[in-house]
Amino acid sequence: FESRIQTLPKEDFPKIPSPSGKGGAGLPSETLHKMIAKTQFAITSDDTRFFLNGALFVLEAEQMSLVATDGHRLARADKKLPKGADSIPGVIVHRKLVNEVSRLTEDMDGDISIGLSEAKIRIDFDGGGLTSKLIDGTFPDYERVIPEGNEKRAEVNARTLMAAIDRVSTVSTEKSRAVKVI
């Protein structure tokens, strides 16, 4: 079986500029994958609030953070900043890029590098790379809604809690999907 497909020469495709100038970092792919796994569920798909259609990515001082919210839920994952990483002001990375990076880093070993420019983010890894526009908007001040000075603390077995939530959510209404923990 033989077939022919018409294509364009690679020289005819536009050159994708490499982001530079705003900051960058190299980090283990496993670290980024774990951070995404902890926050990905809270990214909204509601197009009316476009600035929530992604996750806030911040590299500052000695901490790297990934934050997502849909207006009802808030998820934040923090990790120690890798040595030699530049500080990156908070940028909103689109949901589609977050999902794709999660998929690609699932079984990946090694480091990935992140480069940033005014309007784009570039993620390079062994064998390829992704370039995406950043979401132009202001992410909500999530730190304002996180309670401070809370003296009450509860420690529970994670598997027991997950099993209890799973049992209750089975009979909860589809409309609310709310579970009250008392």
Side-chain angles (χ1 to χ4, degrees):
F1 178 72
E2 185 178 311
S3 68
R4 292 184 176 261
I5 300 173
Q6 280 194 328
T7 62
L8 296 172
K10 66 180 181 181
E11 295 81 25
D12 288 356
F13 286 90
K15 301 283 184 226
I16 299 175
S18 180
S20 61
K22 230 180 167 188
L27 60 140
S29 59
E30 181 182 3
T31 300
L32 186 58
H33 183 75
K34 286 180 180 178
M35 291 177 73
I36 291 172
K38 290 179 180 180
T39 57
Q40 190 172 21
F41 72 93
I43 300 174
T44 188
S45 57
D46 180 13
D47 288 335
T48 58
R49 297 188 292 179
F50 67 93
F51 52 89
L52 297 181
N53 278 329
L56 179 68
F57 184 65
V58 182
L59 298 177
E60 60 185 10
E62 297 178 9
Q63 181 171 289
M64 172 173 54
S65 300
L66 192 63
V67 184
T69 184
D70 61 3
H72 301 283
R73 301 175 292 182
L74 175 73
R76 182 174 95 181
D78 299 320
K79 292 284 183 187
K80 188 175 180 184
L81 190 63
K83 289 189 186 328
D86 293 337
S87 177
I88 293 179
V91 294
I92 306 173
V93 181
H94 199 279
R95 174 184 75 244
K96 290 178 181 178
L97 180 66
V98 172
N99 293 340
E100 193 62 26
V101 170
S102 175
R103 190 183 66 77
L104 290 171
T105 58
E106 192 168 2
D107 297 321
M108 185 185 294
D109 288 331
D111 288 350
I112 60 171
S113 65
I114 299 172
L116 197 64
S117 69
E118 289 297 321
K120 292 185 181 168
I121 187 166
R122 171 95 180 156
I123 299 176
D124 288 307
F125 48 89
D126 189 31
L130 299 169
T131 301
S132 176
K133 282 182 162 183
L134 296 169
I135 294 177
D136 187 22
T138 304
F139 201 79
D141 186 7
Y142 66 92
E143 292 176 331
R144 198 178 81 223
V145 299
I146 299 174
E148 290 184 21
N150 190 357
E151 296 174 9
K152 295 177 177 68
R153 185 176 178 92
E155 290 189 29
V156 296
N157 180 292
R159 289 180 190 213
T160 305
L161 179 63
M162 287 172 49
I165 291 173
D166 187 45
R167 282 192 304 272
V168 172
S169 66
T170 303
V171 295
S172 72
T173 63
E174 263 314 300
K175 201 174 200 180
S176 70
R177 305 258 326 147
V179 175
K180 185 175 182 180
V181 178
I182 51 173

